[in-house]
Amino acid sequence: MACATEGAPAGEVPPPDDAKPVPHIALLLPLKSAAFGSAADAVRQGFEAAADLEMQLPGKLPVRVYGCFDEGKDIAALYRQAVADGARAVVGPLTRNGVGVLAAEKEIPVPTLALNMAETAPVGQLYFFGMAVEAEARQAAQLAMHEGLQWAIVITTREQLSKRLQFAFEEEWHRSGGTISREIEYDGDPAVLADIAEAAGTVVFLAADAEKARLIRPYLPNKLPIYATSQIFIGNSENLVNYDLHGIRFVDMPWLLQADHPAVMVYPRPISLLSADNERLYALGIDAFRLIQLLLAGKVDATLPLDGVSGRIELNSHVFQRTAVPAVFAQGQVQSRHLQTAPAAPAFPSRGWENHE
């Protein structure tokens, strides 16, 4: 087995010398993976930051971190090891492959919060919680429809993620009664954008990241509403990039958008500087700790929806769904748009680190 219990940073319990089970919360992450180690460590930092705030409270279980190289190969054995070591609850794995393997297990004996989605529906004590941006695409469609828009122009790139965002937006748009008037694939030639004109009741959905969005934005009419996902937001400090994206509406989490959010103010920021993507994973770790506490206490139904640092969290058939915060780029800054948001979009297999095999 390529996984093992990590060393013991703050808040973590080392394996007991006499090998007797010790009650704890097990955090299973691919910390030793070259591809996913950075993402996993951001989750670990957030989870432990949240745990540290409650460690002094009576009856709180300590956290033990189990790191591995390859979740797809090792997660089943690692999960059984954690339970044998005394885990009363498990958080992880992080990758889709790992979650898929765990979801196929016949027995999940303790409350388990997987940090991604799988094709198999969760059952028993297994729950899913992740950051699918396909859900953000669906939320963007809901917000545009909420503003009375009926026709949509969808602009994609050749990246696989872009196509998945396109599919999610269009499915939700059609479900809500809207019409897709055009689909445009941007391949670096702005000529494909030349004949986009302002039209009443029309929205542009930009299925692109910040780099591609900066190239596309100058060719879009200023008065045409433009929506996107958190893929286009790379941080509050990137003023030049944000200025180039002026007027684009998107959704992201309170952790990055609302410093005065009650939950955001409670938890410490990462010690070291993280990218925007890893900040989101840090926030995921914080909310994962909060959710596993609710599962352990049997208080999920009484507590949800949870006003999390990653968004408003609700539970639907063992899937914790996250509703993000609407925002808009304005003169190099990002402003939250305090709109009434639609309910959390249906869970959908995700992108980026969440699709890591």
Side-chain angles (χ1 to χ4, degrees), residues 34 48 51 97 100 110 118 131 156 159 169 226 261 263 272 280 327 341 345 349:
E48 291 187 340
N97 261 4
V110 298
M131 296 193 303
T156 68
E159 282 77 12
F169 177 90
I226 307 168
H261 183 282
S272 57
R280 295 183 182 101
T341 60

Side-chain angles (χ1 to χ4, degrees), residues 39 51 56 65 88 91 97 115 130 159 175 188 220 259-260 280 289 292 321 334:
Q56 305 307 317
V65 180
R88 298 289 178 82
V91 176
N97 261 4
L115 299 179
E159 282 77 12
R175 188 193 67 81
L220 302 179
D260 59 349
R280 295 183 182 101
F289 178 82
I292 201 65
Q321 298 175 347
V334 171

Side-chain angles (χ1 to χ4, degrees), residues 12-51:
E12 182 182 328
V13 176
D17 293 335
D18 58 5
K20 292 182 179 179
V22 175
H24 64 280
I25 297 172
L27 181 61
L28 280 52
L29 295 170
L31 290 164
K32 300 178 181 181
S33 165
F36 316 131
S38 175
D41 190 63
V43 174
R44 178 195 62 79
Q45 290 182 53
F47 193 89
E48 291 187 340

Side-chain angles (χ1 to χ4, degrees), residues 238-321:
E238 301 293 337
N239 289 357
L240 181 59
V241 175
N242 296 342
Y243 188 91
D244 290 343
L245 301 175
H246 178 74
I248 297 180
R249 307 166 192 186
F250 67 102
V251 293
D252 209 333
M253 57 177 57
W255 186 255
L256 292 179
L257 298 178
Q258 297 176 321
D260 59 349
H261 183 282
V264 170
M265 295 173 67
V266 169
Y267 297 99
R269 291 284 167 174
I271 297 175
S272 57
L273 184 65
L274 299 179
S275 66
D277 276 344
N278 280 351
E279 283 275 0
R280 295 183 182 101
L281 290 162
Y282 182 93
L284 179 76
I286 291 175
D287 280 346
F289 178 82
R290 300 172 72 190
L291 291 174
I292 201 65
Q293 294 296 316
L294 295 181
L295 289 171
L296 272 169
K299 296 182 178 179
V300 172
D301 292 338
T303 306
L304 296 185
L306 178 69
D307 199 13
V309 299
S310 65
R312 186 174 185 267
I313 301 171
E314 299 176 89
L315 182 63
N316 182 10
S317 300
H318 281 235
V319 178
F320 288 101
Q321 298 175 347

Side-chain angles (χ1 to χ4, degrees), residues 1 3 24 26 28 66 71 74-93 98 101-103 105-114 125-127:
M1 183 177 67
C3 297
H24 64 280
L28 280 52
Y66 296 75
E71 289 185 334
D74 305 317
I75 199 63
L78 189 66
Y79 182 86
R80 297 187 199 108
Q81 176 190 331
V83 173
D85 288 346
R88 298 289 178 82
V90 175
V91 176
V101 171
L102 184 61
E105 283 287 288
K106 295 180 179 180
E107 185 178 1
I108 302 294
V110 298
T112 300
L113 183 65
Q125 297 196 77
L126 177 62
Y127 295 80

